[in-house]
Amino acid sequence: MAFGVHGAAERPHPQRSLSERRRDALRVEVAREAVRLFLARGVAATTGDQIARAAGISTRTLWRHFPTKESCVRPLLAAGLDAATAELRGWPPRTDLPDFLLDSCGEATLRAADPAVLDLIRMTLTEPALRAVWLQAHDDALPVLCALLAGRSGADPDDLRVRVHAATLNGALRAAAEEFAQRFADDPSIPDTEIIDCLRTALAAAAEGLPY
């Protein structure tokens, strides 16, 4: 299966407002404190009150932003996906998608290589509640990926082929992030650019299609 479809790149999203940037910064800070506490105490032993206190906000404010303590990590898990979809909006015509992603996914790579994100991704492999948040972040990214791929091919976002292509790309991004997180745990000295190798392998497997 090839990802190379042709067409005009989509227009970039408008600049976020100051209040939106402040909200996002707060949510990321809460996520980092949640990861720190989950690592130190375990997910089950950590409370929403503790996360709020560590982030310097009230528990009421915490629950206004997040429905559960596990969902507090969502901003860190979604950041790499958001960066990748933002990069895709600049996908130039007549360029294969794997080549474009490997050449221009700098911001997404840096986000995915964040040690806090890597710690969190590894926890999603053993903590079912965090796993659910990780998978939901990818599930929520599917409509965005469908819209981007459909815009390039001229197909409907609900077209089955478009949805399969989007799901395949989504799965490749997730598998690459999980692979790099595991490699980093085994050898923290590996360079951040190692994630590009993981992504290259994942995209190549996706482009090969299903095995016989």
Side-chain angles (χ1 to χ4, degrees):
M1 178 189 68
F3 288 112
V5 292
H6 311 307
E10 291 195 3
R11 295 177 182 177
H13 278 192
Q15 183 69 32
R16 292 175 303 156
S17 68
L18 178 60
S19 63
E20 288 174 327
R21 294 198 300 273
R22 286 175 173 170
R23 180 203 61 195
D24 290 347
L26 171 62
R27 287 169 59 84
V28 169
E29 178 62 24
V30 169
R32 289 188 177 280
E33 292 299 333
V35 171
R36 184 180 64 80
L37 290 171
F38 289 163
L39 283 170
R41 302 168 178 263
V43 176
T46 301
T47 67
D49 289 338
Q50 292 168 338
I51 296 172
R53 189 160 53 249
I57 60 176
S58 69
T59 303
R60 182 177 180 180
T61 298
L62 179 78
W63 297 136
R64 191 162 63 241
H65 286 273
F66 302 98
T68 66
K69 66 180 181 182
E70 293 86 2
S71 68
C72 290
V73 304
R74 171 69 181 270
L76 284 181
L77 291 177
L81 280 169
D82 290 344
T85 53
E87 291 284 356
L88 278 172
R89 293 189 178 94
W91 180 15
R94 294 173 295 281
T95 302
D96 284 346
L97 180 54
D99 291 340
F100 172 70
L101 284 175
L102 291 169
D103 288 341
S104 63
C105 61
E107 183 180 355
T109 299
L110 289 175
R111 289 177 183 272
D114 183 332
V117 176
L118 298 178
D119 286 337
L120 176 55
I121 290 175
R122 285 193 296 275
M123 280 194 288
T124 69
L125 302 177
T126 57
E127 292 283 351
L130 295 182
R131 184 69 176 176
V133 177
W134 177 226
L135 295 179
Q136 186 62 54
H138 279 271
D139 193 54
D140 290 344
L142 272 175
V144 179
L145 293 173
C146 283
L148 287 167
L149 296 179
R152 289 297 295 268
S153 64
D156 189 287
D158 291 328
D159 182 88
L160 179 58
R161 288 179 60 83
V162 171
R163 288 188 286 121
V164 170
H165 290 164
T168 303
L169 174 59
N170 201 339
L173 293 173
R174 178 171 60 82
E178 291 175 356
E179 174 70 13
F180 180 71
Q182 293 286 50
R183 290 189 191 181
F184 187 84
D186 294 335
D187 181 11
S189 67
I190 64 173
D192 293 349
T193 52
E194 183 79 9
I195 195 172
I196 296 295
D197 290 336
C198 294
L199 182 57
R200 179 179 289 107
T201 301
L203 289 172
E208 289 169 1
L210 295 174
Y212 292 105

